[in-house]
Amino acid sequence: MSSKFNGSRNDNDDTPDTGIEPHADLRDAAGKLLGGIVRRDGEWVLGMDGKMVGSSDSAATMLALIRRAASMHERTGATATLKFSDALRDAAHTEARQLGLEFPQFEAQLDEKMKTNPSSSASSAADRSGLH
């Protein structure tokens, strides 16, 4: 994984420090950015198609949502590549363990809740995770 995801900065890096840490990106086969997760002011922010679609204190919810987006993209027959930081993965797994779950269980529960109530899936995910 590239250094842009592990928080390290190269001394020759002239990128301004914006307080935004990139932690995940989802790309199509051509390398076009489909979505991503950044951490801004202590909050995980999910963007898709160039727009911020939500933010949350829940790393587990955000990682599960972008993984779900990757799966949905692949179900159309298109290739999707998801890369995410160790920090995002570790935070998501720790959060799931604090709930008495392994991350795949957390992800499956969120996916099931979104499938069983698709008309309010965004609001129910927000209710569970603090998604704004």
Side-chain angles (χ1 to χ4, degrees):
M1 189 152 312
S2 72
S3 64
K4 72 177 186 173
F5 288 122
N6 68 16
S8 66
R9 290 183 53 106
N10 183 325
D11 289 337
N12 297 328
D13 186 356
D14 293 331
T15 306
D17 185 5
T18 61
I20 297 173
E21 307 164 15
H23 282 278
D25 67 42
L26 175 63
R27 296 183 181 271
D28 67 11
K32 178 185 173 199
L33 184 64
L34 301 172
I37 297 173
V38 299
R39 187 144 171 100
R40 181 182 66 193
D41 298 327
E43 191 167 48
W44 300 101
V45 179
L46 175 66
M48 299 297 293
D49 295 323
K51 298 178 181 124
M52 187 179 97
V53 295
S55 62
S56 175
D57 293 332
S58 174
T61 297
M62 292 309 216
L63 182 56
L65 288 173
I66 200 164
R67 287 172 50 98
R68 189 170 202 266
S71 294
M72 291 171 67
H73 189 74
E74 288 176 340
R75 280 195 296 271
T76 69
T79 300
T81 303
L82 175 60
K83 294 182 182 179
F84 49 88
S85 69
D86 293 343
L88 174 58
R89 182 203 59 222
D90 293 348
H93 286 243
T94 297
E95 180 183 338
R97 279 192 302 275
Q98 289 172 343
L99 297 171
L101 303 168
E102 292 299 319
F103 180 74
Q105 294 171 305
F106 177 93
E107 189 173 33
Q109 284 183 4
L110 180 61
D111 193 49
E112 190 58 36
K113 288 176 185 175
M114 292 179 80
K115 285 179 185 174
T116 58
N117 196 359
S119 63
S120 65
S121 61
S123 63
S124 65
D127 292 344
R128 284 187 308 283
S129 68
L131 192 64
H132 321 302

